[in-house]
Amino acid sequence: MLGTIDSRPLNVVIPLKQARALHKHLGMETCGDLLRHYPRKYLHYGSGSALEGTREGDTVSVIGHVVNAQRIPRGGKPIYKITVNDGHHAIGATFFGSQYAMRVLTEGKRVMLTGKLSYYRQTPQLQHPDFVLLDGPTQATGALKQLSHFGDLEEILSGREWLPLYPASSKVSTWTIMGAVHAVLATLPKVEEPLGFTPIGYKSLDRAIRGIHEPGPAGPDAARKRLKYEEASGIALVMAVRRAERATEGAAALPHVRGGDMDKLVRHLPFPLTDGQKFVLGEITSDMERQRPMSRLLQGEVGSGKTIVSLLAMLQAVDNGAQCALLAPTEVLTLQHARSLQETTMRAGLPTRVVALTGSMSAARRQDALLKIVSGEADIVVGTHALIQEGVEFFRLGLVVVDEQHRFGVEQRDALRAKSGENPPHLLVMTATPIPRTMAITVFGDLEISTLRELPGGRKPILSSLVPEFKPNWVMRAWEKIREEAAAGHQAYIVCPRIDGDGGVLDTAEVLAATQFDGLSVGVLHGRMKGEEKDAVMGDFAAGGTDVLVATTVIEVGVDVPNATVMMVRESEHFGVSQLHQLRGRVGRGGNASLCLFHTLAEEGTSAFERVRQVAATSDGFALAELDLRSRQEGDILGVNQSGSKRTLRLINLVDDYDIVRRAYDDAEIFVEQHPELARRAKDALLSTVPEEWEYIDKS
């Protein structure tokens, strides 16, 4: 969020004991930290939300009117039963020997109950709940007494139609937070607009801060909408300033050289470019011809042909005497890319020199690679994070391509850009994980976006099937299918979620070689192997020397073996949605009918089983990306372990709030254009308060 809400230390506004508890258990130091700890939901008569999403045994809070009260004599301690209607449910509450409850909880009274939920004959019940009357003089019972630490209960609760429930901990209850917020709001000076104006159509920031914690009769929606806009505005302003700064940077223009290596490769490709590839390539070519650094994100379905587009872009740079760097997330992918790019250019008769650089290279090989890079002998340098390290110097770096953008942070890609010296290089980042539009402009808002949806001609859809462990006949048929594909001269992947132990790569490979795949060659690939070993195994598989490759997710991206037609992902419930989609894309790359089998140990009806079932049911990467985003917290998208008061996005839903985010980005663009210095200062102030949250954009 732009600006500071309230910088006062908590201990000068609320009691010291409660201030210390908020600091120790929720990381709050200032009143502003507390006010940015927004309610997770509200109690409101008639909303029907009190029991929504709850299970028996949960502690719940209910607001309603007492519609029935009954005293049942029983020895020395009578039982008192009431029924409260919250406008949606009739909820029973039982008190044992409480004279105070019998005296005040009479029919017609408005009350809040908090207790453990149980069911009796399908009717919700609360056993001896804590309670507080919401009309007239009252006193709280049990945990609700914590509200009295912050003032008079009647003053705190009077007239409220909406009561906030906060994310809490075992040591700090929602009532402590509610009372502390009330005390802070009672002494809060007017919150000023961080950019000097209230956006048209929104509440003022001051009213929004107050209204989200203590809503009026209309509820919290308008306040929540303004605060979502405020969250989006912070990120939008940073992105808009970055774009404006990039626009002033000078880059070497790398125009399309007619008849150069780029054109020669197009003529010698064994397949025609798709219309989508031609369009995207036109966008990239146009960007690189300008004396302004290109910053473009290329997203596309698995197998849509992003790599050949990036190679053509690199050859456009090489045609102009510039070098290119291709940053890949793993050694396996680095070596695969280097081999594939060299073979592709050699088949076209091009003199392109491709050099690989990885962290596990021997000292001699590394020194040789570094000399080729710094002397300009290397045209295209493919590397892992090793490319970013000190000691790697380029002769004339003109284009940086980042493969699998979600594996690298902003600072990582900027570190590589900085190696070009005076003129920053053009930048193309790629991802095969389609990005929902709100996430795209939020996380990648400093980049222009190109999208490839069309698959190259000849590609057949990959069939997918769910293979639950609780259906042993299906599992046996899956092994049989792999044997059939091997007998037909094709190859298979088996992906495991771990290296060691039951179900790991080593155990699985040994068991399958001795049982299901007798007579077939079974290879093993995992992350603990040395770079040369990985390269040898992958090279043997690519050459057809191995029938079945048992691997971890080191083969998740970029690996291209056209003869592989079947994959089984073991224990699919351990992988994310986008990861499963990526893995599936390793087959079906050679024009043959292909199959991906999603094995799972999850029980039918569980969320894990349903997630895998949905992946198996659709091959639309964009639909799966939204499913993936809905199942994850927004903190994962920024790739930071965000907790307590330090998270950037607290309210925005990156699937549903596109209109708010789009408005914030449009407004930020105008503001940066009209007030560049003020925008830059606001950006610097924001980043100075949350530096770790902007260090990496990494959702893996």
Side-chain angles (χ1 to χ4, degrees), residues 188-193 204-211 226:
L188 179 68
K190 181 180 178 181
V191 178
E192 299 297 333
E193 295 290 344
S204 70
L205 184 56
D206 181 75
R207 290 178 60 200
I209 290 292
R210 298 175 193 275
R226 170 61 207 271

Side-chain angles (χ1 to χ4, degrees), residues 421-434:
E422 194 172 319
N423 290 320
H426 298 280
L427 174 68
L428 177 67
V429 295
M430 302 192 297
T431 178
T433 305

